[in-house]
Amino acid sequence: MDKTIHQIIDERASCRSFKQQAIPNDVLNQLLLQACKAPSAGGFQNYSIIKITDQNIKDALVPLCRNQGFISKAPISLVFCIDFRKIIKMQQIEPFPFEETSNFMNLWMSILDTAICAQTLVLSAEYYGLKSVYIGNIINNMKQVSELLKLPDYVLPSIMLTLGYPKSVPKPSEKFTEEVIVHENTYNEIPINKLSKAYRDKYNNWKMKPNDKFTNLIYKTSKAYKNELFAQNCVDFIKKNDYISPYQYWFGCYYVDDDFMKIEDYIEFIRNKGFKWL
């Protein structure tokens, strides 16, 4: 019996281990057809999808995406791109006033459009027994990814999706519930004790004992973000609880500024691509 949309959403989970099994062309074409039906700002569909099937390109993406080796082994990755090139080319045959590449709001809306398109494909893929994982790291090395995929002016990589048939069915991660996420009419401040409990419940299975490598990295990152006193406070918390918390690890060890382009580099690259949003 086919799964309901609610079952599909409930069972969706990121997968990083795929079978060496090709996705049939008719299935992949159906996924892409569904993605192209996703809603977009103004209905303009200012995005494009790059199918990555060439093994050399798959291999080249690995070091640009935190050396996640499964990218080269998965049957396919899809790079969802912000694309204003199509609408600009249309001006060559149909005159219309268009300065959308100078309007900051269109950067915001374009990122949303690519995400909506990608998520539409994700849910369709689940229906066919496929699993996927989002790879946001392509924006860490936006320039190199653009060169690798030969993206022209007015086209920017936004997010990548790697998908295939899972070696084993991944378990969905715990999520914050609607009690934390949903507000009515206005923003309702969540009491800290309620938020703390929800945080503990979400990461109930997280057990990370401290070691010198991660503790020192958290200290270094915390000091760079704020100051030495704050960094020592983080370390003292770890020692007192004999525990590295999820946020301490993710923001102190994994998602750190050294792994991202500097904002000046992003601005220069985006301008060189023809956009004046920033």
Side-chain angles (χ1 to χ4, degrees):
M1 183 175 67
D2 289 343
K3 294 180 179 180
T4 66
I5 185 63
H6 299 101
Q7 289 174 309
I8 288 174
I9 293 172
D10 286 343
E11 296 173 7
R12 193 221 67 83
S14 295
C15 178
R16 296 174 176 83
S17 182
F18 302 97
K19 295 179 181 178
Q20 294 297 302
Q21 178 182 347
I23 301 172
N25 286 334
D26 61 332
V27 172
L28 182 58
N29 289 338
Q30 185 63 35
L31 299 183
L32 294 168
L33 175 63
Q34 297 301 315
C36 292
K37 293 180 179 179
S40 64
F44 296 126
Q45 296 180 283
N46 290 321
Y47 51 75
S48 286
I49 306 170
I50 312 294
K51 296 190 294 182
I52 309 298
T53 56
D54 185 295
Q55 189 60 50
N56 291 328
I57 298 179
K58 289 182 186 179
D59 294 342
L61 282 168
V62 171
L64 298 177
C65 299
R66 291 186 182 272
N67 293 308
Q68 299 181 89
F70 64 85
I71 294 171
S72 68
K73 298 175 183 177
I76 194 168
S77 285
L78 304 170
V79 178
F80 294 78
C81 300
I82 296 169
D83 182 0
F84 278 78
R85 190 171 183 84
K86 294 192 291 288
I87 199 166
I88 287 175
K89 288 181 70 174
M90 279 298 297
Q91 284 186 306
Q92 298 174 15
I93 58 173
E94 179 181 321
F96 51 87
F98 177 80
E99 288 293 337
E100 302 304 296
T101 52
S102 300
N103 186 329
F104 174 76
M105 288 303 299
N106 284 295
L107 167 61
W108 198 320
M109 296 306 300
S110 297
I111 295 171
L112 293 176
D113 284 349
T114 57
I116 293 168
C117 179
Q119 185 64 10
T120 300
L121 190 143
V122 163
L123 296 180
S124 184
E126 291 280 331
Y127 176 84
Y128 288 98
L130 292 158
K131 290 293 181 181
S132 59
V133 61
Y134 280 111
I135 310 292
N137 304 123
I138 61 165
I139 64 171
N140 296 11
N141 298 292
M142 190 180 286
K143 185 175 186 294
Q144 294 94 316
V145 171
S146 292
E147 291 172 351
L148 178 66
L149 303 184
K150 296 182 171 58
L151 302 183
D153 288 349
Y154 304 110
V155 180
L156 297 170
S158 179
I159 197 166
M160 186 166 82
L161 193 66
T162 297
L163 70 159
Y165 294 100
K167 286 185 178 180
S168 59
V169 179
K171 181 181 178 181
S173 60
E174 295 294 329
K175 308 291 185 184
F176 284 134
T177 67
E178 67 277 8
E179 292 182 348
V180 174
I181 301 296
V182 180
H183 306 255
E184 186 168 353
N185 295 324
T186 61
Y187 189 94
N188 303 305
E189 199 68 55
I190 302 170
I192 188 63
N193 60 329
K194 182 177 179 180
L195 180 59
S196 178
K197 182 181 183 304
Y199 174 71
R200 292 195 304 272
D201 289 345
K202 178 178 179 178
Y203 293 104
N204 182 53
N205 294 320
W206 179 281
K207 294 176 174 60
M208 189 172 187
K209 300 291 284 185
N211 58 44
D212 289 343
K213 175 184 176 182
F214 289 134
T215 301
N216 291 337
L217 186 52
I218 290 169
Y219 179 89
K220 176 184 175 183
T221 306
S222 300
K223 182 179 178 181
Y225 269 84
K226 289 197 174 181
N227 52 52
E228 190 171 348
L229 181 62
F230 175 76
Q232 188 59 51
N233 186 37
C234 291
V235 171
D236 291 343
F237 179 94
I238 293 169
K239 290 180 178 179
K240 176 183 177 181
N241 294 279
D242 193 31
Y243 168 80
I244 292 177
S245 75
Y247 283 179
Q248 286 176 325
Y249 171 72
W250 291 121
F251 299 128
C253 301
Y254 197 81
Y255 296 113
V256 296
D257 278 350
D258 289 346
D259 295 326
F260 294 85
M261 292 171 63
K262 301 301 182 185
I263 185 63
E264 296 83 5
D265 296 331
Y266 276 113
I267 292 173
E268 181 182 6
F269 174 72
I270 289 173
R271 285 177 176 169
N272 287 340
K273 279 290 189 178
F275 296 99
K276 300 175 184 178
W277 286 322
L278 301 176

